[in-house]
Amino acid sequence: MATLDHSNAAAAPRFRDAATEPPGAKFALILIAILFLAFFLALPLVSVFFEAFRKGPEAFWEAISEPDALAAIRLTLLVAVIAVPLNLVFGVAAAWAIAKFEFKGKAFLITLIDLPFSVSPVISGLVFVVLFGTHSVLGPILNSYGIEILFAVPGIVLATVFVTFPFVARELIPLMQEQGSGDEEAALSLGASGWQAFWYVTVPNIRWGLLYGVLLCNARAMGEFGAVSVVSGHIRGVTNTMPLHVEILYNEYNVSAAFAVATLLAGLALVTLGLKTVLELRFGAGNAGGRH
Amino acid sequence: MPVADTERSSPMEVTVSGISKQFDRYPALKDVSLKINSGELIALLGPSGSGKTTLLRLIAGLEQPNGGQILFGDEDASQKTVQERNVGFVFQHYALFKHMTVAENIAFGLKVRPAESRPPKAEIRKRVSDLLDMVHLPGLEKRYPNQLSGGQRQRVALARAVAIEPKVLLLDEPFGALDAKVRKELRRWLREFHDRTGHTTVFVTHDQEEALELADRVVVMSQGRIEQVGSADDVYDRPNSPFVFSFIGESSHLPVRIENGAVLFQGQPIGISEPGPDGEGMLFFRPQDVVEVNDGPRLTGKVTASRRLAGARIAELDISDEGAAHHVEIGVPLETRVEIGGELGFRPVHWKIFRNT
């Protein structure tokens, strides 16, 4: 017994939780994380703003207020204004179908929704070239009615809708699956119509997830480069979105103007991230409090 | 609105006739018929997968049957939607709308009515507060569901279901998610509530104690069929099938042979008799329905374990056969010291033999 007591006494001050690292390892891990974040995230962002203002605020202002830049900003906003509401509706419909109903081919539909995420955006763009190009079936027919898809705004909108389709649906599917259809059934049993159940019960239940999905969808819609680049035709002041405009300026060695426009996109990203954080705080709190 | 109207409903008789329901080729209900009297409190009791919840959801209109009919009074409800059936359904996890206050939850069924049948705001408010009084939760209008305890949520869900003045009240595992003490309290409370309001009420449970204590009649279900319908005494004292005998209460069973009116186990008479022709059967008895017998025809076994169960002591016996081992449980007087490994002889005093067909 005496020896046992002795070893216990020696071990006692060294008690530690099984899941706690030694202080040295803890410090090293934190340092690695901070260095990584600084090098790969903070540094590029800072350098974008630094480059943009290198020639002073006047040059910056000029770069973002010249007609081609304004046209690019307008087009980007227009595309987002069309693509985001469309994908809001598609996303909710798809998530609703997947989460609330059992049907054949459900797994296939889920895979299909993920398709825009899994193929390269360039391929997504090329799909529309194949569909609506001069050698396609649809392109010449639409052309004969005076409808331009490729190298025009409709093509850019289509490509953007395709690329940003999964955001809302992906956000809502797990949320709606977890919630099940108990609340909707309760609403129906109390005499609510399908629409009433949707507006009064489903939408409030998914509102934070929905907003989050819309935010991500919007960020991507405004920032999409690859697919849009293929279908746009890069016509200055007509079919150039902000990311395409940035590329053109950069290729023309107009670096500070390119970075000036880039700051607008970077700013959008920052605002999105900020809103997302705020939403997550609310979202998380709402979820934790709302468990039955 | 006079108080009497919210308090007392006009009860409705429900007839289920020949209902069957199939999920993906797997039958959940097979040709089920049941008559529920108006104002009756009835329990659907069975193990999971017995089809009891499916039957409840079919009555509500949350599922559509593959065959058969459901009548509310004389009216065929089978073709009606869940909204048209006007049933009060209380869900297992209450399904309270978490973004709405208690008052908004209870008023929901009234607010979604079309304008011509929607009561005025002041009346809705009055109704909500009356209902909260009725479920013993006065003054909780402004709370949100996550600020309530499980038992309180349960009662809010009930008030919400009753607010639409339903023809029938349906409850799916109403006490399933509550702890034992709250369960007991709410059980008594629900009985009082039922007696006061007089709704025809159907509830689903897998807890036999709950069903036997609370319901006027118990519907015992197994594998998509109704095994027996009857009062607590009926299903406990006069079970009509091996399933009901073993599902309700504690019991043991042994394969026996009947010869010239005597019951034999492993070829030996065990001191009980059974009228009717010779043949094979299954002997069922409850642990408390035996007497210790030390000589003459009897059953004997080796004690493998003994445990104290509230006011009784239960001995587990191993009665081995040539082929299969048989285990039975018998009640022994508390003061008896039971020795593990010792021999114990007994004879059932109440029993039932189900003949092999």
Side-chain angles (χ1 to χ4, degrees):
Chain A
M1 282 319 270
T3 50
L4 205 71
D5 278 344
H6 181 73
S7 68
N8 267 351
R14 301 184 65 86
F15 269 155
R16 210 173 54 215
D17 277 347
T20 310
E21 277 74 23
K26 209 190 246 175
F27 178 75
L29 286 171
I30 292 173
L31 190 70
I32 290 170
I34 288 177
L35 283 177
F36 184 86
L37 286 175
F39 190 74
F40 282 98
L41 294 174
L43 192 64
L45 200 59
V46 170
S47 61
V48 168
F49 283 89
F50 180 78
E51 282 295 331
F53 286 97
R54 208 217 274 276
K55 289 185 181 166
E58 292 82 13
F60 174 84
W61 180 247
E62 202 174 304
I64 62 167
S65 61
E66 53 112 359
D68 285 352
L70 285 178
I73 292 168
R74 259 198 304 274
L75 181 60
T76 298
L77 292 176
L78 175 72
V79 169
V81 162
I82 299 170
V84 173
L86 280 179
N87 276 337
L88 173 67
V89 175
F90 294 158
V92 171
W96 178 278
I98 286 167
K100 313 267 173 183
F101 298 100
E102 288 303 323
F103 53 90
K104 284 205 177 82
K106 189 159 146 174
F108 179 68
L109 183 62
I110 295 174
T111 314
L112 214 59
I113 289 173
D114 275 343
L115 188 70
F117 274 179
S118 49
V119 301
S120 159
V122 178
I123 313 286
S124 310
L126 283 174
V127 168
F128 288 97
V129 174
V130 170
L131 274 177
F132 297 108
T134 29
H135 300 292
S136 71
V137 182
L138 281 173
I141 297 173
L142 289 170
N143 248 331
S144 66
Y145 289 102
I147 301 168
E148 295 272 353
I149 302 281
L150 228 48
F151 311 130
V153 177
I156 297 172
V157 171
L158 281 175
T160 309
V161 168
F162 180 82
V163 171
T164 59
F165 178 77
F167 286 99
V168 174
R170 279 271 95 182
E171 199 57 46
L172 292 185
I173 288 168
L175 187 64
M176 286 172 108
Q177 272 175 337
E178 192 203 312
Q179 288 175 348
S181 19
D183 282 12
E184 283 79 9
E185 284 184 342
L188 296 181
S189 79
L190 292 166
S193 68
W195 271 113
Q196 283 174 323
F198 179 74
W199 282 115
Y200 297 146
V201 175
T202 309
V203 171
N205 272 346
I206 60 169
R207 60 192 160 178
W208 298 116
L210 194 62
L211 214 54
Y212 186 28
V214 164
L215 222 54
L216 291 179
C217 179
N218 181 56
R220 184 65 187 270
M222 291 189 173
E224 174 55 26
F225 177 81
V228 169
S229 172
V230 175
V231 296
S232 119
H234 303 267
I235 307 163
R236 272 198 182 205
V238 183
T239 63
N240 259 355
T241 60
M242 282 161 74
L244 300 183
H245 189 63
V246 171
E247 193 214 13
I248 289 180
L249 290 172
Y250 184 77
N251 286 346
E252 289 169 348
Y253 303 105
N254 198 347
V255 177
S256 63
F259 276 101
V261 180
T263 55
L264 296 182
L265 283 171
L268 168 77
L270 287 177
V271 169
T272 305
L273 280 177
L275 282 175
K276 173 179 163 289
T277 313
V278 172
L279 279 182
E280 267 171 356
L281 286 174
R282 287 238 33 189
F283 196 11
N287 254 1
R291 288 267 178 278
H292 285 223
Chain B
M1 158 150 306
V3 180
D5 272 18
T6 20
E7 285 268 308
R8 206 71 214 175
S9 73
S10 50
M12 173 72 72
E13 188 179 276
V14 178
T15 313
V16 175
S17 84
I19 282 286
S20 55
K21 173 70 183 172
Q22 210 131 333
F23 290 117
D24 282 340
R25 279 177 294 170
Y26 158 76
L29 286 177
K30 300 169 217 160
D31 192 24
V32 166
S33 296
L34 175 67
K35 196 163 153 86
I36 302 163
N37 302 322
S38 66
E40 195 175 25
L41 178 55
I42 210 163
L44 306 180
L45 173 67
S48 48
S50 59
K52 54 193 193 302
T53 297
T54 306
L55 180 54
L56 194 77
R57 291 171 61 86
L58 280 162
I59 296 173
L62 291 168
E63 307 280 355
Q64 293 304 318
N66 296 103
Q69 248 191 343
I70 291 168
L71 303 176
F72 282 13
D74 300 325
E75 225 179 323
D76 185 3
S78 315
Q79 301 306 315
K80 289 188 173 177
T81 63
V82 55
Q83 292 98 329
E84 290 163 345
R85 288 192 201 192
N86 192 30
V87 294
F89 200 105
V90 177
F91 290 81
Q92 189 176 0
H93 300 287
Y94 324 130
L96 292 177
F97 308 132
K98 51 180 178 285
H99 60 281
M100 294 185 200
T101 61
V102 165
E104 287 165 340
N105 263 285
I106 297 175
F108 184 85
L110 302 172
K111 282 189 184 151
V112 295
R113 284 187 184 169
E116 63 271 16
S117 59
R118 191 189 310 139
K121 270 201 175 121
E123 196 191 308
I124 292 181
R125 208 174 307 127
K126 170 83 172 62
R127 185 102 67 99
V128 166
S129 101
D130 286 351
L131 282 163
L132 279 174
D133 286 344
M134 209 156 115
V135 298
H136 301 315
L137 296 170
L140 291 192
E141 280 94 339
K142 297 220 151 55
R143 297 275 193 91
Y144 281 89
N146 63 20
Q147 297 167 314
L148 303 177
S149 71
Q152 289 173 325
R153 283 178 204 169
Q154 169 64 263
R155 284 180 280 162
V156 171
L158 191 63
R160 183 177 72 174
V162 173
I164 60 168
E165 297 174 315
K167 296 194 184 112
V168 222
L169 194 53
L170 306 170
L171 303 101
D172 185 8
E173 297 271 3
F175 315 111
L178 302 169
D179 60 62
K181 191 168 170 292
V182 182
R183 277 175 99 112
K184 285 223 158 138
E185 281 169 21
L186 270 183
R187 210 188 281 172
R188 200 165 312 130
W189 175 83
L190 181 68
R191 180 74 231 187
E192 281 170 28
F193 182 84
H194 173 265
D195 293 345
R196 190 146 37 95
T197 56
H199 286 101
T200 304
T201 307
V202 184
F203 74 99
V204 158
T205 181
H206 61 262
D207 182 342
Q208 46 175 297
E209 200 187 312
E210 202 166 280
L212 297 180
E213 185 185 320
L214 195 52
D216 296 324
R217 284 196 301 157
V218 178
V219 178
V220 185
M221 298 185 67
S222 160
Q223 301 187 334
R225 292 184 199 280
I226 292 181
E227 292 276 339
Q228 187 170 3
V229 183
S231 67
D233 289 345
D234 288 338
V235 295
Y236 191 86
D237 295 334
R238 290 175 290 282
N240 67 357
S241 70
F243 172 80
V244 177
F245 209 122
S246 45
F247 185 68
I248 309 268
E250 300 284 318
S251 68
S252 300
H253 56 270
L254 291 169
V256 291
R257 184 165 172 74
I258 297 112
E259 268 178 34
N260 303 322
V263 178
L264 314 177
F265 175 67
Q266 293 171 6
Q268 299 298 316
I270 57 171
I272 59 176
S273 57
E274 169 83 0
D278 292 0
E280 307 279 327
M282 193 63 86
L283 167 72
F284 279 81
F285 58 90
R286 304 206 183 275
Q288 68 274 22
D289 293 339
V290 300
V291 281
E292 240 187 291
V293 179
N294 292 318
D295 52 79
R298 63 186 192 274
L299 284 159
T300 50
K302 196 180 276 180
V303 179
T304 55
S306 118
R307 60 194 150 88
R308 174 72 188 261
L309 194 79
R313 190 182 303 283
I314 302 287
E316 293 176 25
L317 301 189
D318 178 11
I319 304 183
S320 33
D321 201 342
E322 297 88 38
H326 299 289
H327 296 275
V328 298
E329 295 187 354
I330 61 165
V332 292
L334 272 182
E335 56 278 9
T336 317
R337 285 194 62 85
V338 182
E339 250 179 81
I340 308 289
E343 287 257 310
L344 217 69
F346 71 97
R347 192 190 296 152
V349 286
H350 298 291
W351 71 90
K352 188 160 171 92
I353 292 173
F354 294 99
R355 301 285 191 134
N356 291 358
T357 46

